[in-house]
Amino acid sequence: MPPKGGGEILFACPVRKVLQPIQFTDPGKIKRIRGTAYSVRVSPQMANRMVESARSILNKFLPDIYIYTDHMKGVSSGKSPGFGMCLTAETINGTILSAELASNPQGQGPAVLPEELGQNCAKLLLEEVYRGGCVDSTNQSLALLLMTLGQRDVSKVLLGPLSPYTIEFLRHLRSFFQTMFKIETKTPEEEHMGGEKVLMTCVGIGFSNLSKTIR
């Protein structure tokens, strides 16, 4: 947890020579919600309180909800106290929408109650579900980058309203790769649910990975 951190992330990724084009335009309906409430160097009850407050909102919409609690103490918990929650909503077509919130770092900003954080995280997830699309607002730019780097073929993805970060990122893609996206807006009536959707279409640049596996 910030500000002192002290954690470690292990990232593993298979080596891919090329990226295949995608046609990802039907997000499907939400079937389940999963999540993790974590707490370090604070009372283990913090995680349980976050779970209860998040469920109080989400249970009105869906019965299949499971939120794990993860409490760490001692050396394995890093150097700063704090707590947070990560929620994901999964659809019948495999789309995953996510939302995450964490407490303010010690000594920075007002203290946040775990009940308040749990409710706000649940509302953030519902906001992502309302926005809809096949990718949540946090990962829109990553999806567009991978589409750009794909084979010289047409890729399509349905997104919710574009975030300001994504709009700026599209300008960078145009500057770096000279790639322009075709942007079609879909009204809620056409899609039967949520906010306005945007259908993004592009042709990949045919990027090929030249790296070799290190043995």
Side-chain angles (χ1 to χ4, degrees):
M1 299 294 290
K4 294 181 183 175
E8 183 180 43
I9 294 171
L10 298 176
F11 175 70
C13 180
V15 176
R16 288 280 175 265
K17 188 168 172 60
V18 293
L19 294 171
Q20 299 303 321
I22 58 163
Q23 306 288 322
F24 200 10
T25 56
D26 183 11
K29 293 185 177 179
I30 305 294
K31 66 174 178 180
R32 64 179 173 211
I33 291 174
R34 295 288 181 268
T36 304
Y38 55 89
S39 55
V40 294
R41 294 187 179 272
V42 293
S43 164
Q45 278 303 311
M46 293 291 199
N48 297 328
R49 287 162 65 185
M50 282 188 287
V51 171
E52 283 172 28
S53 62
R55 287 188 73 102
S56 69
I57 291 178
L58 298 173
N59 273 339
K60 298 172 186 173
F61 303 98
L62 203 68
D64 189 0
I65 299 169
Y66 201 93
I67 304 173
Y68 300 88
T69 56
D70 185 8
H71 176 71
M72 301 295 282
K73 55 187 178 182
V75 181
S76 58
S77 65
K79 298 177 180 175
S80 294
F83 52 89
M85 177 178 263
C86 176
L87 295 173
T88 60
E90 191 178 332
T91 73
I92 53 176
N93 291 351
T95 295
I96 294 178
L97 306 171
S98 65
E100 185 171 8
L101 266 185
S103 57
N104 292 324
Q106 195 176 23
Q108 296 178 28
V112 182
L113 289 172
E115 288 82 3
E116 196 181 331
L117 190 140
Q119 286 187 351
N120 287 343
C121 192
K123 288 174 184 174
L124 265 181
L125 183 69
L126 293 177
E127 170 71 19
E128 289 292 348
V129 172
Y130 176 79
R131 291 168 69 97
C134 298
V135 183
D136 58 42
S137 56
T138 313
N139 293 303
Q140 285 175 348
S141 54
L142 177 61
L144 298 178
L145 174 62
L146 296 175
M147 285 167 66
T148 304
L149 294 173
Q151 293 304 285
R152 293 182 186 278
D153 203 347
V154 177
S155 287
K156 288 185 179 184
V157 69
L158 187 73
L159 303 177
L162 299 179
S163 66
Y165 182 93
T166 305
I167 292 167
E168 194 58 47
F169 192 81
L170 283 167
R171 295 184 181 124
H172 289 320
L173 287 177
R174 186 181 60 188
S175 304
F176 278 79
F177 300 112
Q178 287 76 53
T179 298
M180 301 277 279
F181 278 78
K182 180 184 176 188
I183 303 174
E184 299 170 77
T185 54
K186 302 277 186 182
T187 57
E189 289 76 38
E190 291 175 55
E191 297 300 318
H192 309 298
M193 59 193 106
E196 281 202 346
K197 308 289 186 291
V198 184
L199 183 64
M200 307 290 289
T201 310
C202 82
V203 176
I205 62 166
F207 184 82
S208 183
N209 183 11
L210 302 172
S211 340
K212 297 285 187 291
T213 309
I214 299 170
R215 297 190 186 283

